[in-house]
Amino acid sequence: MKVKVTVMPKTGVLDPQGKAIGHALEGLGFAGIGEVRAGKVIELELTETDPAKAKAAAEEMARRLLANTVIESFRVEVA
Amino acid sequence: MKVKVTVMPKTGVLDPQGKAIGHALEGLGFAGIGEVRAGKVIELELTETDPAKAKAAAEEMARRLLANTVIESFRVEVA
Amino acid sequence: MPPVSLDPARAKQLSDEFGLKPDEYDRVLAILGRVPSLTELGLFSVMWSEHCSYKSSRVWLRTLPTKAPWVIHGPGENAGVIDIGDGLAAIFKMESHNHPSFIEPYQGAATGVGGILRDVFTMGARPIANLNALRFGAPDAPRMTRIIDGVVRGIGGYGNCVGVPTVGGEVNFHPAYNGNPLVNAMTVGIAPKDRIFLSAAAGIGNPVVYVGSKTGRDGIHGATMASAEFSADAEEKRPTVQIGDPFVEKLLIEACLELMATDMIVAIQDMGAAGLTSSSVEMAGKGGVGIELVLDNVPQRETGMTAYEMMLSESQERMLMILKPGREAEAEAIFRKWELDFAVIGHLTDTGRIVIRHKGIVEADIPLAPLESEAPLYRRPTAETPKQPVLDARDIADPLGPVAALEKLVGSLDLCSRRWIWDQYDSTVGGQTVQRPGGADAAVVKLEGLKRALAMTTDCTPRYCLADPEEGGRQAVAEAWRNLTAVGAKPLAITDNMNFGNPEKPEIMGQFAAAVRGMASACTALDFPVVSGNVSLYNETNGRAILPTPAIGGVGVLEDAAQAVGLALQPGLDLVLVGETRGWLGQSLWLREVAGREEGAPPPVDLAAERRNGDFVRARILAGEAVACHDVADGGLLVAVAEMAMATGCGATLDAPPPELPAHAWWFGEDQGRYVLAVRDTATLLAAAAAAGVPAARIGRSGGGDLVAGPGSSISVERLRAAHEATLPALMAAVG
Amino acid sequence: MKAVIVVFPGTNRERDMAIALERATGRKPVMLFHRETALPSGTDLVVLPGGFSYGDYLRCGAMAAQSPIMREVARFAARGGHVLGVCNGFQILCEAGLLPGALLRNATLRFLSMDCHMRVERAGTPFTAQWQQGAVFRAPMAHGDGNFFCDDETHRHLVDQNLVAFRYCTPAGEVTDAANRNGARDNIAGILSPNLRVCGLMPHPEDLVDPLMGGTDGLPMFTSLAEAAVAA
Ligand SMILES: Nc1ncnc2c1ncn2[C@@H]1O[C@H](COP(=O)(O)OP(=O)(O)O)[C@@H](O)[C@H]1O
Ligand SMILES: [Mg+2]
């Protein structure tokens, strides 16, 4: 079973990378760009076949390793 | 309008980060972990209100800057 | 219209939460003649926090020697400034980021580096080197390897990106730091000595200008956090984490240096702890002028920020400056070129007050003089640390003999190779690094385009400081002086970072006072004044204090970089020990690691001998008589020689210990003021030593692949090296 | 030789590069800010130095590769001009498509700052003329993303056309896994364009051109370039 963990900087936390990307896109001539936030996505193949259990496991992984919950928030999706 | 660009390492391209995450998760005692891939996600706030146009614009951004198609593939979603 | 006062009961309650003591709050009421507004209360609480006001430490810091003919600016400015010749000044300072690094190791350490860089370039200097003094807990303590990993990545992540080489530092491990690691970062910069920028504001009506990154809600109450001890609820203090952006810092350095090459700046100061509050209050206060800010003009990253939030935000990579009138557009062009925010956010006034406006409302209106002059100042009660007994080496059995003990020691936490750390720091960017980490007792960085070089080091031996804070303070200064001397540099001045526990406890305040006493005695005797520094108190977790850690950052000068020597041994040389060996085992690493005892009085520093020996060694190095030199510190003589050997793989054969000393005391005693020199012409050296009244003796000869510690005791340098190099990588393997 | 060093926001080894070029050529290079849209006339060599252009955010070199001056650099290269990219400069050249492949995160996932050794795999180019084929030299490296990657076809092309300039090796010249700290494909440290006028490499020869800093191992690259400019 495939799960996807998306990790983003928490709202209000400075995101230097997102800022720089927004800047660069404007430099390339793209218009109408508002806030840009950059995060990580981790796709995991789990042997677990029960979606609820897979999700719970991935959430545990996110809390313990994948996300730094001091400054990042995460979201788990099961494919 | 919010668009999300997900950028993942292409199959066949080394993903040292994904591999390290897999190892670390096993080290923490998580079992049943298969392949792990680590990528990036960029969330953009666009003033564009037409979903098709927003998607086309984001795809253009991904091709020109957000992804390096030598090593990465991307996917655009409109929220 | 004066600001709107808080409800009195609410104000009292908040003043408590913000860390103001009841009598301090009463003083606020007296100064204002009314109940403060929220913004005013915020201002008072951060300005009067330990971190900003030095209220517990000031009475002691005043006793440190700060003057010498080469000192241009001592403590009181953003960083210390000394004359290093060729029309140049070295500007340097050390600062702690202990609490933030415990909460979020990567960002805490990274923003620590960012902050100290700003303290230095705000004075007009181009930063040329970074150092870092780190203290970690036992590696098996909860989170500790993650903290080590995060701190090292954070220091590298920031320093590498801004392009300032990280050239040195030190690391200790002790369980006393389990809940409170120390991250002290030091920056050294260079400026023309007649173009130093200060922070005192001047010129009524002159514009107050904000440059750098936008302001967000980061790190609000960071300064007060740095002034409180940790407890189990540290989790809740998390929202104060600040995020660094080294890329913006790099642009800020370039933009500020470009602006500083013009004559537009009247005064400039970085926004460090307590951000806009401390920078505006201090600049206006120092200049004896008033200041009025209109916060609507502050570049903001988030919507709906209040005056209170903007004044207390610790968003990184921001500076405040006073410009000459009419130069705003010219200055703005420079910052726009570097893609940085630039905003005129106020002007200087003749009212002697700080007035903060936001959305048409006066949010704060405080007289500046009493904010400073009535700031609390405490002479807190002190209790002396009881003296430890002087141990006699003859009473301590040697369970291992020299070789096995040596192998154990070079792999122990406090002596093992720090390569795992410095391999993650760019130490060569700039192209001027003559001695990189591991190569010499002090890092040596040449000044671009000149022969001249600076030597720099950080030193402190916290276990000595715990056993005897005065002796420990003295030793820390002496070791820094010795490390600079050992590369051939003339030691000029120090910065310090005083890391201690809760000053409200007499025994902690006693440690502080004694350490200052010891430091002062060494600074005086060695002509090695303090030009800048930082105090970090309340380093405690659940009532348990760290070891007293007065970290010293020393800077010295070499007129010709080519004269610098490293510690790496070459074959075919005589080894000469300079200084007297009495076999002092109290508080030695041998005693701790081999005999399993942490006790006794630490080795005393004889300042007259220290000076005599050091001046002698430096003169010999500058005369070209030493191929290599290493001071004898942690671990004693045999460890010092082993370190020289491991640097190249070249072995050495040492003579048997003198009969009057137990062998383990000779090999591992930590007597101070000693150096090992590798020389070609021993006779000349010994004659010079005799003439100077300096104890010196040939102790062996280099060559081969083994280290021989007297007849019958031998170990290959390769084997020592394997033990030396394995420890940290093995420890950190678990984190990946 | 007229050398131009391009400075992007976040570039930080431009001074190191200038010192090395001046030492080898006796002439100060021109520093060109990334906003410029033209190269000075008479430019013989364009150097993209090391650093963290745009903070290395998103991907190292990605944003710098898009800046206006890079169009000029591409034109200059197409006309047969000499272009050197070191570290971040190499990353920019790959991102701009002037060299094939890409530089991934180091296999160790850590920043690597230490001396490495490289073997000269192709002597006789404008960048390597002063070395013998197979010569081994030392240089500091300092990067987080130096793990050279290319697909099989590109790799075959690089090898068949003899376009690998340098490989990581032991001090004795053996190309081993242990010598390949960042995990680069086939130990590749630096590559050349088909016309041999564009070269990119990760380590920093410019930081080892003075005995005071530990040696002059990197100097031949710059004396080679000076000679090539005279010949051109
Ligand atoms: N945190 C660090 N960062 C960079 N270099 C370090 C660090 N810690 C130690 N080093 C380097 O390791 C070497 C040995 O350090 P140390 O044992 O403290 O030396 P000494 O005892 O001679 O003062 C020195 O070159 C020092 O600069
Ligand atoms: Mg030291």
Side-chain angles (χ1 to χ4, degrees):
Chain A
M1 172 145 270
K2 216 171 180 145
V3 294
K4 189 168 86 182
V5 182
T6 307
V7 180
M8 297 297 291
K10 278 189 183 165
T11 21
V13 167
L14 176 69
D15 175 16
Q17 174 151 254
K19 210 174 69 180
I21 293 171
H23 218 69
L25 287 172
E26 279 164 8
L28 285 178
F30 290 100
I33 296 178
E35 209 192 1
V36 180
R37 308 283 286 172
K40 288 181 292 208
V41 48
I42 297 116
E43 293 181 1
L44 305 122
E45 194 63 64
L46 301 183
T47 51
E48 180 61 62
T49 51
D50 177 282
K53 283 190 187 150
K55 185 162 186 203
E59 277 170 348
E60 179 65 13
M61 293 174 198
R63 256 189 303 274
R64 291 193 47 201
L65 182 77
L66 306 178
N68 176 352
T69 52
V70 178
I71 49 179
E72 295 170 329
S73 59
F74 64 87
R75 194 170 59 241
V76 173
E77 289 153 278
V78 179
Chain B
M1 172 146 271
K2 218 174 180 143
V3 292
K4 190 168 84 179
V5 181
T6 307
V7 180
M8 296 299 290
K10 271 188 185 168
T11 25
V13 173
L14 217 67
D15 175 17
Q17 255 166 313
K19 230 168 65 185
I21 292 172
H23 274 307
L25 286 172
E26 278 162 10
L28 286 177
F30 290 99
I33 294 177
E35 208 193 359
V36 181
R37 309 283 288 169
K40 285 182 283 233
V41 50
I42 297 122
E43 293 183 1
L44 304 120
E45 195 62 66
L46 301 182
T47 51
E48 181 60 64
T49 51
D50 179 278
K53 282 190 188 154
K55 184 162 188 205
E59 278 171 348
E60 178 66 12
M61 293 176 199
R63 258 190 304 275
R64 287 192 54 199
L65 183 72
L66 304 180
N68 176 349
T69 51
V70 174
I71 46 173
E72 296 166 330
S73 58
F74 64 86
R75 193 171 61 240
V76 173
E77 290 154 276
V78 179
Chain C
M1 272 276 281
V4 180
S5 296
L6 286 161
D7 166 71
R10 176 83 183 123
K12 181 81 190 73
Q13 180 201 348
L14 277 176
S15 84
D16 245 31
E17 281 173 29
F18 292 176
L20 281 174
K21 303 273 158 18
D23 62 310
E24 293 172 354
Y25 180 64
D26 289 342
R27 235 175 292 171
V28 172
L29 295 179
I31 289 172
L32 290 177
R34 56 181 163 76
V35 173
S37 69
L38 176 64
T39 306
E40 287 170 335
L41 189 61
L43 252 78
F44 275 102
S45 70
V46 293
M47 288 312 297
W48 288 1
S49 70
E50 190 65 58
H51 192 82
C52 291
S53 73
Y54 290 83
K55 57 191 170 191
S56 304
S57 57
R58 246 187 308 160
V59 293
W60 299 107
L61 295 178
R62 275 188 200 137
T63 65
L64 287 167
T66 59
K67 294 203 163 54
W70 51 87
V71 174
I72 299 175
H73 291 289
E77 288 300 334
N78 283 305
V81 183
I82 56 172
D83 188 337
I84 54 167
D86 285 342
L88 294 172
I91 302 184
F92 61 98
K93 185 170 188 276
M94 180 154 42
E95 197 158 79
S96 63
H97 236 207
N98 305 336
H99 295 74
S101 301
F102 181 65
I103 294 175
E104 208 318 272
Y106 184 99
Q107 292 297 341
T111 53
V113 174
I116 192 61
L117 280 164
R118 285 192 294 283
D119 269 330
V120 166
F121 73 75
T122 194
M123 298 195 73
R126 177 171 285 281
I128 62 161
N130 282 331
L131 296 93
N132 56 109
L134 311 176
R135 321 283 161 187
F136 297 120
D140 55 3
R143 287 181 67 221
M144 194 47 66
T145 48
R146 294 218 159 267
I147 290 174
I148 298 170
D149 182 58
V151 164
V152 170
R153 281 183 192 274
I155 290 171
Y158 207 99
N160 299 346
C161 183
V162 294
V164 175
T166 301
V167 296
E170 59 178 336
V171 190
N172 288 130
F173 296 85
H174 195 281
Y177 303 105
N178 280 0
N180 201 313
L182 303 183
V183 176
N184 297 171
M186 172 172 168
T187 295
V188 182
I190 295 294
K193 78 174 189 197
D194 54 2
R195 291 200 61 80
I196 309 293
F197 290 82
L198 305 179
S199 58
I204 308 306
N206 279 353
V208 177
V209 171
Y210 169 118
V211 297
S213 281
K214 293 184 178 13
T215 296
R217 291 188 176 90
D218 328 56
I220 291 170
H221 272 288
T224 36
M225 175 182 75
S227 310
E229 62 179 273
F230 274 135
S231 54
D233 72 352
E235 301 278 311
E236 294 183 357
K237 295 189 171 138
R238 279 180 171 182
T240 56
V241 170
Q242 312 137 21
I243 307 289
D245 187 348
F247 171 55
V248 166
E249 180 102 336
K250 168 71 174 158
L251 302 183
L252 199 54
I253 294 176
E254 299 305 333
C256 285
L257 291 179
E258 194 171 325
L259 183 67
M260 285 162 167
T262 72
D263 65 345
M264 291 185 238
I265 300 177
V266 175
I268 177 165
Q269 164 141 341
D270 63 296
M271 292 191 219
L276 203 43
T277 293
S278 66
S279 53
S280 56
V281 167
E282 284 172 23
M283 289 180 84
K286 273 189 192 160
V289 295
I291 190 167
E292 187 162 324
L293 301 181
V294 179
L295 297 186
D296 310 73
N297 298 339
V298 168
Q300 293 161 50
R301 197 176 80 229
E302 296 178 66
T303 51
M305 290 190 70
T306 65
Y308 169 83
E309 289 170 330
M310 276 187 267
M311 289 308 291
L312 269 71
S313 161
E314 293 192 353
S315 289
Q316 300 290 296
E317 292 93 21
R318 302 178 302 161
M319 315 278 276
L320 197 65
M321 51 199 191
I322 312 298
L323 288 184
K324 289 186 181 163
R327 309 297 292 273
E328 294 90 328
E330 265 172 279
E332 177 162 5
I334 292 175
F335 285 87
R336 295 292 171 211
K337 170 185 157 195
W338 291 100
E339 300 173 24
L340 294 165
D341 273 296
F342 177 103
V344 177
I345 63 163
H347 63 278
L348 299 183
T349 66
D350 61 2
T351 61
R353 302 175 78 87
I354 178 165
V355 177
I356 313 274
R357 296 177 189 277
H358 187 218
K359 297 191 167 155
I361 292 170
V362 174
E363 295 282 357
D365 183 350
I366 305 174
L368 283 163
L371 191 57
E372 152 101 280
S373 65
E374 292 186 36
L377 183 64
Y378 297 127
R379 177 175 277 278
R380 298 197 186 273
T382 59
E384 290 287 313
T385 299
K387 290 278 180 226
Q388 303 281 317
V390 173
L391 305 185
D392 186 335
R394 270 165 284 261
D395 302 338
I396 305 164
D398 173 5
L400 289 185
V403 164
L406 177 64
E407 190 176 3
K408 184 159 193 194
L409 278 169
V410 297
S412 69
L413 281 173
D414 275 345
L415 285 174
C416 68
S417 170
R418 274 63 177 127
R419 183 182 307 281
W420 181 88
I421 295 173
W422 76 60
D423 273 359
Q424 301 182 58
Y425 298 156
D426 187 343
S427 56
T428 54
V429 58
Q432 305 299 318
T433 308
V434 177
Q435 288 293 352
R436 302 185 203 172
D441 280 320
V444 178
V445 179
K446 202 173 81 64
L447 306 184
E448 198 181 310
L450 302 173
K451 283 179 134 184
R452 198 171 287 276
L454 291 183
M456 42 202 112
T457 178
T458 71
D459 293 283
C460 178
T461 312
R463 65 180 188 281
Y464 294 173
C465 298
L466 181 69
D468 183 340
E470 178 166 351
E471 206 56 78
R474 182 153 44 238
Q475 192 275 343
V477 173
E479 186 177 347
W481 188 86
R482 208 181 294 147
N483 280 183
L484 298 173
T485 295
V487 299
K490 176 176 161 46
L492 292 178
I494 63 171
T495 180
D496 65 58
N497 203 143
M498 310 292 285
N499 308 275
F500 289 79
N502 181 349
E504 293 159 42
K505 297 180 183 165
E507 62 276 19
I508 300 288
M509 211 54 230
Q511 290 175 342
F512 189 94
V516 167
R517 230 168 26 240
M519 287 164 57
S521 66
C523 291
T524 303
L526 301 172
D527 275 330
F528 201 31
V530 179
V531 295
S532 58
N534 176 247
V535 178
S536 171
L537 300 175
Y538 297 97
N539 289 291
E540 301 204 355
T541 306
N542 296 330
R544 180 155 182 224
I546 58 161
L547 304 186
T549 311
I552 303 298
V555 173
V557 69
L558 279 141
E559 283 181 15
D560 182 354
Q563 291 182 310
V565 298
L567 55 75
L569 199 55
Q570 303 294 335
L573 301 169
D574 274 352
L575 296 175
V576 173
L577 174 62
V578 171
E580 194 189 356
T581 303
R582 283 188 291 167
W584 196 282
L585 287 180
Q587 296 300 337
S588 67
L589 285 180
W590 182 90
L591 191 68
R592 187 177 87 192
E593 301 294 328
V594 177
R597 293 161 59 180
E598 274 182 80
E599 59 190 81
V605 178
D606 174 342
L607 289 169
E610 187 75 51
R611 173 116 199 198
R612 202 180 321 111
N613 298 356
D615 287 347
F616 169 76
V617 166
R618 189 179 321 105
R620 290 358 292 163
I621 292 172
L622 296 181
E625 290 171 22
V627 177
C629 177
H630 188 21
D631 78 310
V632 181
D634 274 351
L637 175 61
L638 195 54
V639 167
V641 176
E643 286 171 346
M644 298 174 78
M646 290 186 291
T648 54
C650 167
T653 300
L654 302 179
D655 304 336
E660 66 273 17
L661 278 184
H664 54 301
W666 166 254
W667 295 125
F668 302 109
E670 295 185 2
D671 306 81
Q672 299 292 300
R674 296 184 299 160
Y675 303 78
V676 175
L677 278 69
V679 301
R680 290 200 187 87
D681 181 354
T682 310
T684 305
L685 190 90
L686 294 183
V694 167
R698 181 188 178 283
I699 55 163
R701 191 162 172 82
S702 66
D706 292 340
L707 183 57
V708 181
S713 298
S714 169
I715 183 167
S716 80
V717 177
E718 266 328 299
R719 182 160 164 188
L720 283 174
R721 218 189 221 171
H724 190 53
E725 296 290 349
T727 310
L728 278 190
L731 207 70
M732 299 309 296
V735 234
Chain D
M1 178 179 68
K2 185 157 185 177
V4 170
I5 298 177
V6 183
V7 179
F8 299 96
T11 293
N12 65 29
R13 264 186 162 83
E14 72 277 19
R15 294 139 68 90
D16 315 35
M17 187 59 76
I19 292 167
L21 285 166
E22 194 180 344
R23 190 171 262 258
T25 67
R27 206 167 144 187
K28 271 200 192 342
V30 177
M31 295 283 183
L32 196 71
F33 201 56
H34 70 116
R35 290 261 183 80
E36 302 289 338
T37 49
L39 294 170
S41 64
T43 299
D44 296 306
L45 168 70
V46 173
V47 182
L48 309 182
F52 285 64
S53 60
Y54 295 93
D56 270 2
Y57 294 133
L58 188 62
R59 280 185 322 280
C60 304
M63 298 186 208
Q66 300 293 334
S67 67
I69 193 66
M70 282 308 294
R71 271 195 292 274
E72 278 306 300
V73 174
R75 256 181 233 131
F76 177 76
R79 288 197 307 267
H82 292 107
V83 180
L84 171 65
V86 174
C87 198
N88 194 221
F90 184 19
Q91 295 162 340
I92 295 169
L93 289 175
C94 290
E95 281 283 342
L98 289 176
L99 288 173
L103 292 140
L104 306 178
R105 182 65 42 91
N106 293 342
T108 58
L109 297 179
R110 288 188 186 279
F111 193 90
L112 293 171
S113 168
M114 62 209 40
D115 280 355
C116 68
H117 287 84
M118 282 173 283
R119 196 169 74 187
V120 178
E121 304 290 55
R122 174 124 192 216
T125 75
F127 304 89
T128 58
Q130 297 282 323
W131 278 298
Q132 301 287 317
Q133 180 75 20
V136 175
F137 70 106
R138 185 164 58 93
M141 54 181 185
H143 59 248
D145 301 72
N147 181 349
F148 181 77
F149 172 84
C150 60
D151 59 27
D152 294 342
E153 194 187 322
T154 308
H155 179 251
R156 209 172 312 120
H157 175 77
L158 287 173
V159 172
D160 290 352
Q161 301 301 309
N162 199 9
L163 299 176
V164 176
F166 310 106
R167 280 197 173 86
Y168 299 108
C169 66
T170 64
E174 301 134 334
V175 174
T176 64
D177 280 348
N180 189 20
R181 303 291 292 257
N182 59 28
R185 177 158 195 178
D186 196 16
N187 281 53
I188 291 174
I191 57 174
L192 294 152
S193 63
N195 71 353
L196 308 181
R197 295 295 178 95
V198 182
C199 177
L201 76 164
M202 285 313 298
H204 293 281
E206 76 276 19
D207 279 323
L208 212 55
V209 296
D210 184 338
L212 258 184
M213 313 310 154
T216 55
D217 273 39
L219 201 53
M221 173 166 286
F222 304 99
T223 46
S224 299
L225 281 163
E227 197 172 82
V230 173

